[in-house]
Amino acid sequence: MTISLAFGLSLGLLTVLAFLGLPMGLAMICGSVLYLFMRGQDPGIVAEQFLNGMYSNYIMLAVPLFILAAEIMNSGTLSDRLLKWCDALVGRFRGGLAQVNVLQSIVFAGMSGSAVADAAGSGKMMQHMMTKDGKYTPSYAAALTAVTAVIGPIIPPSIPMVLYALVADTSIGYLFLGGVVPGLLMAGVMMVQIAITARIKNFPVEEPVPLRKLPKMTWEALPVLFMPVVLMYGIYGGITTPTEAAAVAAAYALLVSAFIYRAVKAPELYQSVLTSAKTTASIGMLIAGALVFNYVVTVENIPRTISAILLSWDLNPVTFLIIVNIILLVLGCVLEGTTILLVIVPVLIPTAQALGIDMVHFGVVAVVNIMLGLITPPYGLLLFIMTRISGSPMRAIIGDVMPFLWSLIGALIVFTFVPETVLWLPRMFGYAGVTP
């Protein structure tokens, strides 16, 4: 495959600027502008691609709304009530607090759609609970919180799946359904691994919460637990679109935090909106840069060229998925996940379609790979977050993360090569897709 001088210099400038610390979105825009100048094209195309990509996609509204919902929940006492309820259920078993960490991530995943929000929301509380009185080492507690947060964008709702739907023109609703079984499978793998480790390392057993208190604690946590139900019923009951469901999620989070629990006042709400706006602006700039750079990639005919090369190798779907998994896992070690999703994945989509791979299945596999990148050194974003929260050295956290990472890669292999683990639930709701 040959590339033009203009594209080579554009890619070089992008790489240098990103290496020097410029945000990836701005680096992609600068590289794209250089390409347009060298090809004699109107730089106004950058603005046109930005406007068409950002303001003509209704589904993009779901991103800031899910972010706002997560921020509102984190500012209130929702996480605290959720942890107490989870502790009442599984805290009584050996290694119970570690199991609580997994269980609360499953529930929280149905509310936020963001791995970072999950880690930031419950990270400090779980770190304090697990390390109190030396029950668990700080590095193990931090590693487990980072690993369980990966479930967040797999179980619906999911911000990465919204972005995949943008680049692959795939139904968000069916993507959300496709993530349910893989997300639960990943959680199940973690819980089994914790149970085995708890026996080997003699993890502590928490004082059991009397069963007579469980109904009351469930009632107090019910508004939190009900949020995923509201979202799923709204989407699959035909009441709301996924984007409208994101607005419902934000409104419901505000209703529960401010009026039912009365835990969010005006200052906290203002801070939540401000933080959400900053996060949204950061993601928006990255999306804008990716859209512009994708235009350059399309002009250079990169997707079709790569597709032709891969198809010339006479690949079958299984071999192609193996290659995709390796590529995405390796890139996840050095690149930010959203960049991979918006720049690399679109290049692979034409080949996947030509090989007859279902786009919902491919999307879930891609998103899981990218989420695993959040806990792979050296660039694992969740590793940095938990290093800051826990104060543990990065090396110690990575050492405790690696056994979980290998187990999750094993789970990834299962639903990569058994498509029905992803497609079974969407098919139950009428999805036709690609028949194996």
Side-chain angles (χ1 to χ4, degrees):
M1 181 179 69
T2 59
I3 61 175
S4 67
L5 175 63
F7 184 73
L9 292 176
S10 170
L11 193 60
L13 178 62
L14 186 161
T15 304
V16 170
L17 292 177
F19 181 77
L20 293 176
L22 190 70
M24 182 59 74
L26 292 177
M28 285 189 285
I29 291 175
C30 291
S32 301
V33 170
L34 174 63
Y35 175 87
L36 295 174
F37 271 121
M38 294 189 66
R39 294 296 296 265
Q41 297 190 31
D42 183 5
I45 292 176
V46 173
E48 180 184 352
Q49 292 296 313
F50 177 90
L51 292 174
N52 289 339
M54 294 296 289
Y55 297 113
S56 63
N57 284 286
Y58 180 60
I59 62 173
M60 287 304 301
L61 284 173
V63 175
L65 291 170
F66 279 133
I67 292 173
L68 178 60
E71 287 297 331
I72 291 175
M73 287 186 294
N74 287 340
S75 66
T77 61
L78 277 72
S79 298
D80 182 51
R81 293 173 186 270
L82 176 59
L83 287 177
K84 289 181 179 178
W85 180 76
C86 293
D87 183 47
L89 286 182
V90 298
R92 65 188 70 241
F93 304 111
R94 185 165 299 279
L97 274 182
Q99 302 285 16
V100 167
N101 204 331
V102 180
L103 185 59
Q104 64 86 23
S105 287
I106 296 174
V107 180
F108 210 92
M111 298 185 282
S112 73
S114 166
V116 173
D118 286 6
S122 60
K124 290 183 180 179
M125 284 184 287
M126 284 306 313
Q127 190 70 25
H128 174 72
M129 289 173 62
M130 292 185 67
T131 58
K132 185 179 180 181
D133 300 326
K135 296 175 182 177
Y136 299 83
T137 64
S139 63
Y140 183 85
L144 184 58
T145 300
V147 170
T148 58
V150 169
I151 302 173
I154 311 302
I155 297 176
S158 168
I159 292 175
M161 287 185 185
V162 172
L163 299 180
Y164 174 82
L166 171 68
V167 300
D169 192 25
T170 306
S171 165
I172 301 178
Y174 289 133
L175 278 168
F176 282 2
L177 282 175
V180 173
V181 173
L184 294 177
L185 176 61
M186 293 168 70
V189 167
M190 291 182 206
M191 297 184 85
V192 170
Q193 187 168 350
I194 290 170
I196 295 173
T197 306
R199 295 291 180 184
I200 296 174
K201 295 188 176 182
N202 196 31
F203 284 168
V205 178
E206 301 302 307
E207 183 178 348
V209 176
L211 292 178
R212 66 178 183 276
K213 292 186 178 181
L214 188 57
K216 180 182 177 181
M217 298 179 73
T218 302
W219 175 256
E220 291 176 348
L222 193 61
V224 185
L225 302 174
F226 200 60
M227 184 171 177
V229 178
V230 171
L231 284 174
M232 294 298 101
Y233 181 76
I235 295 174
Y236 303 110
I239 300 174
T240 65
T241 66
T243 303
E244 292 166 345
V248 171
Y252 184 83
L254 179 60
L255 173 67
V256 171
S257 297
F259 297 102
I260 296 180
Y261 292 141
R262 298 182 180 180
V264 174
K265 307 298 182 183
E268 290 86 358
L269 179 59
Y270 171 78
Q271 189 60 44
S272 295
V273 173
L274 184 62
T275 303
S276 301
K278 291 179 180 178
T279 305
T280 300
S282 175
I283 294 176
M285 183 58 70
L286 188 56
I287 294 172
L291 291 171
V292 175
F293 189 72
N294 283 343
Y295 169 80
V296 172
V297 170
T298 303
V299 170
E300 284 287 306
N301 211 23
I302 300 297
R304 287 189 179 182
T305 303
I306 291 178
S307 179
I309 292 173
L310 292 174
L311 291 175
S312 69
W313 293 350
D314 196 24
L315 297 175
N316 58 43
V318 172
T319 306
F320 175 72
L321 287 173
I322 292 174
I323 294 174
V324 168
N325 279 334
I326 294 173
I327 290 174
L328 296 182
L329 285 172
V330 171
L331 289 177
C333 296
V334 294
L335 289 179
E336 196 272 333
T338 305
T339 303
I340 300 173
L341 191 58
L342 295 173
V343 178
I344 306 300
V345 171
V347 175
L348 301 171
I349 287 175
T351 307
Q353 291 174 325
L355 291 172
I357 297 173
D358 186 271
M359 284 295 96
V360 168
H361 177 227
F362 185 75
V364 172
V365 169
V367 169
V368 171
N369 272 285
I370 291 167
M371 291 305 102
L372 292 183
L374 295 174
I375 55 174
T376 53
Y379 187 76
L381 180 58
L382 291 175
L383 299 179
F384 288 106
I385 291 175
M386 293 314 302
T387 297
R388 186 172 66 250
I389 289 176
S390 67
S392 298
M394 175 74 78
R395 179 178 298 180
I397 294 177
I398 291 174
D400 286 321
V401 160
M402 292 310 295
F404 289 105
L405 180 58
W406 290 118
S407 297
L408 292 179
I409 290 176
L412 171 63
I413 291 172
V414 171
F415 52 78
T416 295
F417 303 121
V418 186
E420 284 306 307
T421 55
V422 174
L423 299 176
W424 170 74
L425 196 55
R427 294 195 198 283
M428 292 287 289
F429 282 79
Y431 177 65
V434 175
T435 303

